[in-house]
Amino acid sequence: MVFACFGEKKKVVIAMAHIGALPGTPNYDADGGMAKLVDGVLADVEKLQTGGVDAIMFGNENDRPYVFKAPPEGIAAMTAVVEAVKPHLAVPFGVNYLWDPTASVSIGAVTGASFVREIFTGLFASDMGLWQPDCAAAARLRRTLGRQDMKMLFNINAEFAHSLDQRPIELRARSAVFSSMADAILVSGPLTGQPAEASQLRSVCETVKDVPVFANTGVNIDNVGDILAMASGVVIGTHFKVDGNTWNPVEGARVKRFMDRVASLR
């Protein structure tokens, strides 16, 4: 069992539901407005659930270029979208506001999410500048909002960035569990849709024994067997999209084929 919200399921598949660009961002469709955002996510959620995924995570991947501090309009809009979609969910859900830990916790807490994902620890040189998340503020906010049950999934190696901490990744992961009380560790590739280095994922899985370890990017039907032989689960977005393109809608047939493959591995 990975988390209680998944029951007895093992080797969990968390699918991304990418919300369209939120208000205030360069790609926001003001003509379509909030209704278009909700409709787009609902269409993806329906295909993901029909395909059999174990959980859904709402993310704002379309809000490029990304920021470290979520603006009020972004938090409000993402909260509204998740609340609108919630009645249609039959699986546990999580949220991730890129790249703001406290915003992710805020939205997750008030919408009833089972988990949140973010970069909570470390120091990175990134496309967005110097990246220094505040894990303590996010953890204290979770406590203040009375959501100690909501799991915090730590993406330990940031996409679009290079860690300035020269410790091996497995030691950084182990330290995050010990010092920052990570509920799970996620290992990513260098960019969205690109897989983590197999050696890094293996090292983290062999070192971190107290909490689940997930592959966070680049999982597909061809490599999922090798990945699930090591990890407790996967987070998957790009592979489920039409033509395997991150910015396209979800393709139901791709989801079904992938989940059939996972069923044969469980």
Side-chain angles (χ1 to χ4, degrees):
M1 183 176 68
V2 178
F3 295 131
C5 64
F6 296 125
E8 296 302 317
K9 289 182 178 178
K10 300 181 185 297
K11 305 297 183 180
V12 171
V13 176
I14 300 174
M16 293 303 304
H18 293 152
I19 302 169
L22 297 173
T25 62
N27 290 326
Y28 175 59
D29 182 352
D31 293 332
M34 291 295 295
K36 184 176 180 180
L37 294 180
V38 172
D39 289 345
V41 176
L42 277 174
D44 281 354
V45 165
E46 180 181 0
K47 295 170 188 173
L48 293 170
Q49 292 192 136
T50 299
V53 302
D54 300 314
I56 288 173
M57 179 154 54
F58 297 98
N60 64 322
E61 269 78 0
N62 285 288
D63 283 358
R64 297 172 292 167
Y66 303 119
V67 297
F68 294 137
K69 183 173 177 55
E73 63 270 24
I75 295 174
M78 188 166 178
T79 302
V81 171
V82 174
E83 284 291 337
V85 176
K86 265 179 63 177
H88 303 271
L89 293 176
V91 297
F93 77 94
V95 299
N96 181 197
Y97 194 109
L98 303 173
W99 294 96
D100 187 333
T102 55
S104 298
V105 168
S106 298
I107 298 168
V110 301
T111 58
S114 296
F115 55 90
V116 294
R117 176 190 69 175
E118 199 29 81
I119 298 291
F120 288 104
T121 56
L123 178 63
F124 303 87
S126 77
D127 292 352
M128 296 79 69
L130 188 64
W131 191 342
Q132 188 174 359
D134 189 346
C135 180
R140 283 160 171 74
L141 179 60
R142 178 177 65 166
R143 178 59 181 255
T144 299
L145 295 175
R147 286 300 316 275
Q148 290 295 92
D149 61 304
M150 184 176 68
K151 304 299 184 182
M152 291 170 58
L153 281 54
F154 283 45
N155 187 359
I156 203 67
N157 56 328
E159 300 142 70
F160 319 111
H162 172 73
S163 175
L164 299 179
D165 184 340
Q166 294 303 303
R167 292 177 297 171
I169 188 171
E170 65 269 19
L171 294 186
R172 288 189 277 124
R174 184 177 179 184
S175 182
V177 175
F178 183 88
S179 69
S180 298
M181 302 182 294
D183 294 311
I185 296 293
L186 279 57
V187 182
S188 302
L191 296 172
T192 298
Q194 294 189 13
E197 290 186 19
S199 61
Q200 291 190 344
L201 179 61
R202 183 178 300 106
S203 294
V204 173
C205 289
E206 291 175 349
T207 303
V208 175
K209 300 297 185 181
D210 298 334
V211 302
V213 175
F214 288 75
N216 189 52
T217 62
V219 181
N220 57 56
I221 198 168
D222 296 320
N223 65 19
V224 68
D226 292 336
I227 289 172
L228 289 183
M230 298 181 281
S232 299
V234 300
V235 179
I236 180 166
T238 296
H239 183 66
F240 285 163
K241 302 300 188 72
V242 173
D243 297 328
N245 184 322
T246 303
W247 315 116
N248 285 341
V250 168
E251 181 181 329
R254 293 174 73 96
V255 180
K256 181 64 167 57
R257 286 194 299 270
F258 182 88
M259 291 309 299
D260 284 347
R261 171 66 174 144
V262 170
S264 72
L265 299 170
R266 286 175 168 170

